Structures are given as structure tokens and as C-alpha cells.
Amino acid sequence: MADAAEEPLMQHQEDDMQDGISSEPADTEDVDNDTEWPAGRPGLFIWLLTLSAGISGLLFGYDTGVISATLVSIGSSLSGRPLTSLDKSVITSCTSLFALVASPISSVLADYFGRKPVILLSDLLFVFGALVQALSYSVAGMVLGRSIVGAAIGAASFVTPLYIAELAPPAHRGRLVTMNVLSITLGQVVAYVIGWVFAEHGDPSTGWRWLVGLGAVPAALQCALLLFMPETPRWLVKAGKSLDARRIIKKTIGSDVVSRRLVDNVVKDIEAELREEQGNVTPVSNRRKGSDGWLKGWYQLLRVPKNRRALVIACLLQGLQQLSGFNSLMYFSATIFTILGFSIPTLTSLTVAATNFAFTVLALFLIDRIGRRRILLYSIPFMVIGLWLSAFGFSFIKLSSGETNDGPLSTTIDAASSGPSQDAAVVILISIMIFVASYALGLGNVPWMQSELFPLNVRSLGSGLATATNWLANFIIGLTFLPLMDLLTPTLTFGLYGIICVIGWYTIWRIYPETAGLTLEEATCLLENGWGV
């Protein structure tokens, strides 16, 4: 296993010598001999690409965060009655369900039409879904709007990290993909801030409509920006457009003599990988095979051992990210803090979103230095501590026994025991912040680096299936969280999430290798003869 603390420069120089790439002394003074990209900071062009694509993360975060404030502000605006627990669960979980359906479909589209068109399609769905939500006057209409947004999130959450990873320099790929995750957390913060503003100062009957409708603005902005952004070089080579790929790579690393040689090396490496993985079938002929090529992709993903191992690891990380219970806080944090008796639950929820954002910024600087594997092994135990401390705090909470249409969790804490319950509520808030902080450092961003594990010929398909796993687990959490809180009590619910994290930590320790500092082509070799740990 590669040590993430080693300097990528030495690592890439050793790899290049093994690959037989010339490394003359004069050249090493000017540029690193990495066959992928020169070492050093990403250029302005790469940062512009990342920021443009990262708007998808902003939309993703906004639409997952906005539902928390919407559910406590919507009142009787839909169907002329208060929302029941079932209404809330369906409105929340339908987004995950359609994201689950959209992820594998978008992976096929990304293979045939490119990464960029799928991002543009998701933007159009974001705009349409936001407008449908804002104009809804029934629960069914709101479910329809959330479902359209779910399809957009499913496509964007899969293709945006893939788009960035295929353009990023190896030494900074983790940081640039984490920028997308940072955009997600920023979107959640923005959603909570706007939700608090409308809840405290806006018209309760219309404020939530503006809240969901504003999601159309960044989608339209990204759609305009991406019209000027390129397709990824790896997809262009796969599609038989090597000349276009060379032109884009030149924009990222320069056009001097040494850089031109590096461009040739990058393209040759991609072409060599394609020939090796596809049985010496040329990229153009493979793309014209239609359904036969698609079926061959499935066969290679599921039957080739290293691809199957990559799929297991990617699905494990994506599933654990959701089954840890994090998005139950994003969807229902305002509901939870209402139960706990906080006077302004949307403002309290903002502290959770701000913690997530702050520690994602910290992860931005640590992920390539510490490494993916180690940052997970270090952070998940603190997630467990936060969850079990929350479970302990909830054991002191006395819920009102009154039944309503919303179920017992629609009420607040029992006034007769307000003293101990208020102390327990503070403990729960602190423990949730511990959980969120440790989640943001590791599990919140590492799973989105899934494209590092897959060879180019199955990268889109494998990443799509892993993302679908994320949304399947997200759907399960969104649909079952409130019923579990009712049925098992909050103490057992949070304790169960902690047990899942313990199992996930052990599995990561056994099978997840380190990929920090490696090129995409090098990282896929780790699983050639085992798990690479």
C-alpha cells in the first residue's frame, strides 16, 4: 500500500522509470517526469473547470438541505392540511429513489455522449424540478417536483466527481474532488440560512415556495458556464478523438516542448489502457458496437476480478456514507431540534451545516496529505462516539405521549422534565456536531473518489452503480428514519447507526487500499492481484 505521506513527485518518478519513460537529467530540472501531469499546483484552467462543475455540488447540497427547513415551514399549504409523518417521509425519500434510478442510466449516457452533456441535462432537470416544487399546491405535486430534482441529483452526483477526476492532476485529485464535496456542504449551509431567514422574517404561506424555487438559479448559471467548458480527455480518447484530447491537455499543462512530450505520454497511456482492457479493440470500433459494447462493459465489470473488487469497495463506501445516518440529520434536523425543544430549530440546524462545511474545508487540505484510507480509519471512530453519545442523550429525553396525525415525534419534550431534558438536548447537539465533523473529514468526501478504482472502460458504469448504491441507502434512511424513531426510540436508532459504522470501519481496514498520489491508470493496478492493502 502506498504511503499517502510520501511526496507524489518521488513516487511518480519511480513509476515512470518502471514504465520505460525517458528521464534525462536536463528534463528533471524543469518538470516532473510524471506521465500524467507535471507536479505542482493546478493551473487556473483546472480550478475554473472544478468550480464550474462544482456548482452541481452546490445544487446537490441545497436541495438536500432545503427540505429540512421546508418541512417545518410548509404548514397546511399542501392539500389543505398539516403534513403527516408519512407525507414527510415520502416527500423526502422520493428524491433518493429517483436519484437511485437516474445514476445507472446517466452512467450509460455519460459513456455514449460524454460527461459534459450529462451535467447539462441535470441542470435542466434542476430548473424544472425547482419550478414544479414552487408551484405545488398538493402533496402529489410536491412529490413530483422532488422526484424530478432527485433525477437531477442522481445524474450530477455521479458525473461531476467523474468529470473532475478525469481532468485533475494526480497529486491534487483528492483536493479537487473534495472541492465538489465542499460545494455540497456550502449548498446545505446556504439552504439553512435562507430557510432561517424565511422562517423568521418571511411570509409562512409563501416563504417555502421561494426557498425551493431558488434552486433553479445556480442550475441556470452552471448551464451557461459549461457551454464553454471542454469534455474530459479520457472520454475523448475513448471516443476516438485523440487530437481533441491533446488540445485540452495542452491547456492544462502548457504548450512548451517538454509539456508536448507529456501530452503525448498521457494520450499513449490512455490508449494503451484501453487496448489492454478491451482486448485490443480500438476506441472507435468499440464505441460503434452499440448494445454489444454495453453488454461487454457489464461483463468486464462483473467478471474481471480487479473490476469486481473495485465495485465492491466503491459500493461499500457509498452505502456506508448513507447508512451511517448522516442524511437523516440533513433531512430532519429541524424536526429533531423541534422535538428537543429548541426555540429556533432552523437556526440550530445551521450550526450542524456550518460544522459540516468547516470540517470539509479542513479535509480539503488533508485528504492528499494523509490519504484516503487513513483519514477514514482515523475519523470513523469519532463518528461512532458521536452517535452513541447522541443515543445516551436521548435516553434522558421524555417525549410527550400525546398522539397526533404526525405521530408522537411531532411533539416536543415533556414540560414536566424540562430541566434534565434541556441538559440532554445540549449533549445531543454537541454529540451530533462531533459526528458531523468526523463525517466531513472522511466519509463525507472519500466515497466520491470512487472513479480512482475503476479502469477507463468500466469507470463510468462502475461509478454509476456505486452512486446508485449511495442513493439506495439514502432512500432507505429517508424512508425509515422517522418510523424507526417512533418504533425503536431515538436511543436505539442512533445506537444502530453507530453499530453500522463499526462494521464499516472493520471492512475498510480489511479491503480498502490507498490511492493518494497515484495516476488513475496506476490506481487501478492496485486491485490486480488482491485488495491491494
Side-chain angles (χ1 to χ4, degrees), residues 62-63 65-75 77-79 81 83 87-96 98 128-150 206-213:
Y62 185 84
D63 278 296
V66 77
I67 195 62
S68 176
T70 301
L71 290 178
V72 297
S73 305
I74 210 164
S77 300
L78 296 179
S79 301
R81 57 173 174 78
L83 297 178
D87 291 333
K88 294 178 180 179
S89 295
V90 171
I91 289 172
T92 302
S93 59
C94 68
T95 304
S96 305
F98 276 80
F128 185 49
L131 295 178
V132 170
Q133 290 178 84
L135 299 175
S136 295
Y137 287 90
S138 66
V139 172
M142 189 67 173
V143 169
L144 174 62
R146 295 296 298 171
S147 298
I148 295 171
V149 166
T206 60
W208 68 270
R209 298 185 184 278
W210 286 100
L211 194 59
V212 294

Side-chain angles (χ1 to χ4, degrees), residues 399-513:
L399 293 178
S400 173
S401 58
E403 294 287 341
T404 70
N405 289 334
D406 291 348
L409 287 180
S410 66
T411 58
T412 59
I413 57 179
D414 190 345
S417 58
S418 60
S421 294
Q422 288 177 354
D423 294 338
V426 174
V427 171
I428 292 170
L429 175 60
I430 293 173
S431 61
I432 286 176
M433 292 176 69
I434 293 173
F435 167 74
V436 169
S438 50
Y439 172 93
L441 280 175
L443 202 57
N445 56 76
V446 172
W448 297 113
M449 298 169 196
Q450 60 199 7
S451 56
E452 295 178 333
L453 300 167
F454 296 101
L456 179 57
N457 66 314
V458 295
R459 184 171 295 145
S460 179
L461 183 59
S463 298
L465 285 178
T467 305
T469 303
N470 180 292
W471 289 110
L472 174 60
N474 194 316
F475 172 71
I476 293 171
I477 290 295
L479 190 62
T480 62
F481 177 69
L482 290 181
L484 279 176
M485 294 272 279
D486 285 338
L487 181 64
L488 298 181
T489 73
T491 297
L492 292 180
T493 300
F494 280 85
L496 176 63
Y497 292 152
I499 293 173
I500 292 173
C501 288
V502 170
I503 297 171
W505 182 93
Y506 176 76
T507 310
I508 289 169
W509 177 68
R510 290 299 301 268
I511 69 172
Y512 182 44

Side-chain angles (χ1 to χ4, degrees), residues 49-206:
L49 285 172
T50 304
L51 291 175
S52 299
I55 297 177
S56 292
L58 183 70
L59 288 163
F60 180 175
Y62 185 84
D63 278 296
T64 54
V66 77
I67 195 62
S68 176
T70 301
L71 290 178
V72 297
S73 305
I74 210 164
S76 302
S77 300
L78 296 179
S79 301
R81 57 173 174 78
L83 297 178
T84 66
S85 290
L86 180 60
D87 291 333
K88 294 178 180 179
S89 295
V90 171
I91 289 172
T92 302
S93 59
C94 68
T95 304
S96 305
L97 178 62
F98 276 80
L100 164 64
V101 174
S103 295
I105 295 175
S106 61
S107 71
V108 176
L109 296 177
D111 260 344
Y112 280 92
F113 299 106
R115 300 8 176 171
K116 177 180 163 183
V118 176
I119 299 178
L120 292 172
L121 175 62
S122 70
D123 286 331
L124 297 177
L125 292 175
F126 271 122
V127 172
F128 185 49
L131 295 178
V132 170
Q133 290 178 84
L135 299 175
S136 295
Y137 287 90
S138 66
V139 172
M142 189 67 173
V143 169
L144 174 62
R146 295 296 298 171
S147 298
I148 295 171
V149 166
I153 291 176
S157 63
F158 144 73
V159 77
T160 303
L162 176 62
Y163 182 80
I164 296 172
E166 290 193 340
L167 282 161
H172 305 283
R173 189 171 57 245
R175 184 185 305 175
L176 294 177
V177 174
T178 302
M179 281 290 295
N180 182 58
V181 182
L182 183 64
S183 299
I184 295 175
T185 63
L186 177 61
Q188 292 166 344
V189 171
V190 170
Y192 282 125
V193 169
I194 296 177
W196 170 70
V197 170
F198 278 117
E200 295 301 312
H201 306 289
D203 183 351
S205 62
T206 60

